[in-house]
Amino acid sequence: MIPAPKKLIKLGGTFQLPESGKIFSKIESFNVAKMLKQELSKRGKDFSIVSHSQNGSTFELLLDKNLVNHPQGYKIVVQGSKVSFVAATNQGLFYAFQTFRQLLSERNGTLESVLIEDEPDFENRAFMLDISRDRVPKMETLQGLVDLLSELKYNQFQLYMEHTFAYEKHEKVWKDYSPMTHEEILELDEYCRERFVELVPNQNCFGHLEKWLMHDEYKHLAECPDGFVFPWGIPSGPFSLSPAVEESLKFVGSLLGELLPHFSSTKVNVGADETFDLGLGRSKELCERLGKGRVYLNFLLGLYEIVKRHGKSMMFWGDIIKNYPELVGELPKDVIALLWGYEEDHPYESECELFASKGVSFYVCPGTSSWNSFVGRLDNALGNIRNAIQNGKKFNALGFLLTDWGDNGHPQHLAVSIIPIVYAASLGWNSSVDLPTSELLKEVDFHIFRTESLSEKLFTLGNMYKKLSVQLPNASVYFTALMFPERFLENLDALNEKDVETVRESLEQIESVCRELFKLRNESNEIFVDGIVNNAEMLKLAMEWILLAKRFGRIDRIDESIWKDFTTRFIRIIEEYKNLWLESNRPGGLSQSVEKLTRLLRLRQQARSTQ
């Protein structure tokens, strides 16, 4: 079962699920009883719900705070001819139901008599999906994801937004991206609540607003209206709001005033991460006078006041304020800092200790490592999650937030993130059970992919990044080579001859894995298999491009017939990518994603045209 329950005691004997029977439930637990009835109906069983008498019922749902203290805890007693769910709240009953569903699946209706007692280690178990890097899922995709998260006992969900909510007076910003509408948020919020998942609004309110600030109507709010250069040397357009512009907070206030009423959540994530341009433009004099940390904190406190006017608790990314430890203690005691870092060796211990010592509540926020990789960096993801959750537990974090970003066009399909999603759910609920990788993959195959060995194939693909001598933070060399070919060509000598041989061997392995994946494809997992294969073929393209670059040295020197064959396969894979995208996601943003994916083809055209 995932997550594994805290205590399971075998009582002796078995329980056989009958063909029909009764479910006893009081009115207050009727919704969970309906879920149980629906699950039994899917298995061909005919059950009715009653409230007048427990006698003769096969299932009983009991709410009793004297028997279960934790509001999310539960007990399941399977004995003789009866199954009892006991909890202090309906949320606890819902989690008992989810555990029982998995028991039924694993035992095929014949269960050992057991007592299960369970409750979570982390009160808040959250997942965040990036919907601002071109890919905005359809409603049915989001609802399916919520179903998965709730089965895994996540209880919070965030949609990371920069420009993908349909603000009434700002159509120019979102019109090409098929944004979430007001009604859709209301509908999704209700869908989440029915499954005991809190849909937490997430609107970046400081940095990462380039999709807004690129337009003339908003440039007066920008820190650097004419752009700036990132610390790693890449030019950027306007990026952050300027704390030196009085209207900046008024602008944020108007956005949150429209957005927040559509969420029942008591929280809001205002972002405020990676303000790289702070102090480089309009706030330069202010930062020189007060210090950059103080200017940042003052703007953050302005965001806090806006959030408090709406009666919400403010969440924000902690990556900037942590650089000013002397200021951390000045944060209001009711904020929630989100401590993120996506490498296996991220210093979670020291960061958690800092915020804990200052009395500031925090979540630990590892990542799926799916982005900037095509097929994930799975060993890194598992190590990153383990590091975060173990240190979060040690320093009493309020919760964890697993992040799934979509950098550079979000080319990875959702399947690539499934193994980390399951692992974080497992460890975050019961940190005493750290499943060995082989067991984790079996659980994912059985409960999610519904076939044997699919996870093993994905895990093989997701660890190919490790075989090269060059390792990059937050990305794989293969992804960087294909998506940023100019930068790759400038550093071509970083890969040695042993790396070239590794690439050749990996290419053969991918072809073998893809053949095996197609054999595992069935109606219940085809969207997963097709997505994994499509991303694997992108990885193959990256490997083939690396071999061509190492062989010919320059892109314009590659033989025309070789390039033509490469381009034909490239275009086919992109067409498959488009089709898969549109099955699960909205059309807005697709063309922008494809443009990023095909940068290499344009580079070749440019190189040939200048000869």
Side-chain angles (χ1 to χ4, degrees):
M1 290 176 284
I2 45 173
K6 292 287 180 59
K7 183 188 292 186
L8 188 152
I9 301 172
K10 295 182 180 181
L11 303 176
T14 59
F15 166 85
Q16 181 65 49
L17 182 65
E19 294 300 312
S20 61
K22 295 179 181 179
I23 300 169
F24 172 80
S25 168
K26 294 292 184 68
I27 291 175
E28 53 265 33
S29 57
F30 180 58
N31 284 338
V32 179
K34 285 195 299 183
M35 294 177 189
L36 176 58
K37 177 180 177 178
Q38 184 179 18
E39 180 66 24
L40 295 170
S41 178
K42 289 179 184 177
R43 299 171 182 274
K45 311 300 182 182
D46 182 20
F47 277 75
S48 59
I49 301 172
V50 299
S51 290
H52 68 287
S53 173
Q54 295 172 245
N55 295 332
S57 60
T58 305
F59 294 92
E60 57 182 13
L61 277 58
L62 306 174
L63 290 171
D64 191 331
K65 294 180 181 179
N66 294 316
L67 296 177
V68 178
N69 295 321
H70 196 290
Q72 297 181 44
Y74 64 89
K75 291 181 181 179
I76 299 174
V77 183
V78 180
Q79 194 167 27
S81 59
K82 178 165 285 192
V83 177
S84 301
F85 298 171
V86 187
T89 66
N90 274 317
Q91 186 175 10
L93 285 180
F94 178 76
Y95 293 146
F97 161 66
Q98 296 292 7
T99 296
F100 187 74
R101 284 179 65 197
Q102 292 191 1
L103 267 178
L104 279 179
S105 296
E106 291 177 359
R107 303 293 187 267
N108 198 27
T110 301
L111 310 181
E112 289 185 279
S113 294
V114 294
L115 166 65
I116 294 175
E117 295 182 347
D118 202 11
E119 63 183 46
D121 281 336
F122 285 83
E123 299 290 310
N124 302 287
R125 303 169 304 281
F127 177 71
M128 189 216 77
L129 179 67
D130 184 353
I131 64 166
S132 287
R133 273 43 179 255
D134 301 336
R135 187 188 289 257
V136 182
K138 293 179 179 179
M139 282 295 288
E140 54 264 38
T141 303
L142 290 171
Q143 290 169 346
L145 179 56
V146 171
D147 289 340
L148 171 62
L149 295 175
S150 66
E151 179 180 346
L152 296 171
K153 300 185 176 71
Y154 282 89
N155 62 356
Q156 288 175 23
F157 183 33
Q158 299 189 18
L159 297 174
Y160 172 78
M161 293 189 290
E162 295 170 2
H163 62 287
T164 47
F165 177 72
Y167 290 102
E168 285 185 343
K169 297 180 180 179
H170 305 286
E171 183 177 355
K172 189 169 189 177
V173 175
W174 51 256
K175 67 178 182 178
D176 295 327
Y177 290 93
S178 302
M180 298 290 295
T181 67
H182 300 68
E183 185 174 343
E184 285 174 330
I185 291 292
L186 289 168
E187 182 182 340
L188 186 61
D189 187 86
E190 180 182 48
Y191 194 88
C192 287
R193 276 187 284 115
E194 290 171 350
R195 290 151 182 81
F196 299 93
V197 175
E198 181 181 1
L199 184 64
V200 178
N202 182 328
Q203 169 64 64
N204 218 326
C205 297
F206 199 167
H208 285 285
L209 292 177
E210 59 265 43
K211 290 290 195 306
W212 293 81
L213 302 176
M214 64 186 285
H215 299 289
D216 291 339
E217 294 93 325
Y218 308 99
K219 277 190 177 179
H220 66 287
L221 302 171
E223 173 67 13
C224 296
D226 297 321
F228 75 112
V229 178
F230 283 117
W232 50 90
I234 304 298
S236 169
F239 188 76
S240 299
L241 295 175
S242 177
V245 177
E246 184 177 348
E247 196 179 338
S248 290
L249 284 174
K250 294 179 181 177
F251 169 72
V252 171
S254 70
L255 296 187
L256 295 183
E258 182 176 347
L259 177 70
L260 297 187
H262 298 86
F263 294 81
S264 59
S265 173
T266 60
K267 307 173 185 67
V268 54
N269 183 352
V270 300
D273 60 317
E274 296 188 326
T275 51
F276 297 115
D277 48 342
L278 180 61
L280 300 180
R282 288 183 166 128
S283 71
K284 186 173 188 294
E285 185 276 332
L286 191 64
C287 289
E288 289 173 349
R289 180 162 48 89
L290 300 179
K292 190 182 292 188
R294 176 63 62 184
V295 172
Y296 175 87
L297 177 60
N298 287 346
F299 192 80
L300 191 67
L301 293 175
L303 297 177
Y304 171 79
E305 291 301 323
I306 294 170
V307 170
K308 292 304 289 182
R309 287 201 294 271
H310 289 277
K312 308 284 188 182
S313 298
M314 187 179 83
M315 305 174 114
F316 73 101
W317 301 114
D319 58 305
I320 302 299
I321 200 69
K322 75 180 183 184
N323 297 318
Y324 307 94
E326 71 281 4
L327 299 180
V328 171
E330 295 187 29
L331 289 166
K333 298 310 176 188
D334 58 346
V335 301
I336 301 171
L338 303 172
L339 310 185
W340 64 268
Y342 305 130
E343 294 305 304
E344 185 174 3
D345 59 354
H346 185 78
Y348 271 111
E349 183 173 21
S350 60
E351 291 183 7
C352 291
E353 185 175 23
L354 168 64
F355 284 81
S357 69
K358 302 293 185 179
V360 177
S361 298
F362 63 93
Y363 284 24
V364 287
C365 307
T368 62
S369 296
S370 65
W371 61 93
N372 292 341
S373 70
F374 295 130
V375 292
R377 297 185 299 138
L378 285 173
D379 268 351
N380 181 79
L382 301 188
N384 177 234
I385 291 166
R386 186 183 304 112
N387 175 5
I389 287 179
Q390 287 177 348
N391 281 294
K393 184 80 161 47
K394 178 179 178 181
F395 291 97
N396 297 313
L398 279 185
F400 74 86
L401 171 66
L402 180 67
T403 60
D404 196 37
W405 296 101
D407 298 28
N408 298 301
H410 211 143
Q412 79 276 13
H413 300 291
L414 182 61
V416 174
S417 302
I418 293 296
I419 293 173
I421 288 172
V422 173
Y423 183 64
S426 175
L427 201 60
W429 179 275
N430 185 354
S431 59
S432 66
V433 178
D434 187 0
L435 289 175
T437 300
S438 59
E439 292 301 313
L440 172 67
L441 299 184
K442 287 178 182 177
E443 294 282 4
V444 175
D445 278 334
F446 186 85
H447 291 290
I448 313 299
F449 292 149
R450 305 195 189 285
T451 189
E452 293 183 2
S453 74
L454 200 162
S455 292
E456 180 186 347
K457 309 295 185 293
L458 176 56
F459 201 74
T460 297
L461 294 168
N463 281 321
M464 286 187 173
Y465 76 98
K466 293 176 62 179
K467 296 181 179 181
L468 295 177
S469 65
V470 179
Q471 296 294 303
L472 301 176
N474 210 32
S476 77
V477 170
Y478 294 124
F479 184 92
T480 303
L482 191 70
M483 299 292 285
F484 302 100
E486 302 98 329
R487 195 187 312 170
F488 169 68
L489 287 169
E490 291 171 1
N491 296 280
L492 191 58
D493 291 341
L495 295 180
N496 56 39
E497 286 306 309
K498 186 176 179 181
D499 289 320
V500 171
E501 185 57 34
T502 296
V503 173
R504 290 196 182 100
E505 293 171 356
S506 296
L507 262 174
E508 294 179 6
Q509 191 175 14
I510 291 176
E511 291 176 0
S512 173
V513 168
C514 286
R515 285 193 299 270
E516 293 170 0
L517 283 169
F518 278 124
K519 295 176 184 177
L520 300 173
R521 190 176 184 271
N522 58 49
E523 287 186 6
S524 65
N525 67 27
E526 60 185 5
I527 191 67
F528 291 129
V529 172
D530 292 347
I532 294 168
V533 170
N534 186 240
N535 282 137
E537 290 187 327
M538 291 179 185
L539 181 61
K540 282 174 59 180
L541 287 175
M543 292 177 175
E544 291 170 1
W545 156 237
I546 288 172
L547 294 179
L548 290 173
K550 291 295 287 184
R551 176 181 171 187
F552 290 97
R554 285 176 20 188
I555 193 168
D556 58 325
R557 292 177 178 170
I558 298 173
D559 183 83
E560 186 64 32
S561 62
I562 294 174
W563 188 258
K564 183 177 180 181
D565 179 63
F566 176 75
T567 301
T568 298
R569 282 179 286 110
F570 203 132
I571 292 172
R572 174 185 60 79
I573 291 165
I574 293 298
E575 288 304 310
E576 292 170 355
Y577 175 68
K578 291 178 182 177
N579 292 334
L580 283 170
W581 175 296
L582 293 173
E583 282 185 35
S584 302
N585 306 281
R586 305 166 194 227
L590 176 56
S591 61
Q592 293 89 336
S593 180
V594 168
E595 184 177 4
K596 297 177 181 74
L597 270 169
T598 54
R599 190 179 285 123
L600 176 61
L601 300 184
R602 294 193 299 279
L603 181 64
R604 164 74 174 196
Q605 291 173 344
Q606 294 166 7
R608 299 287 284 184
S609 64
T610 57
Q611 284 185 327

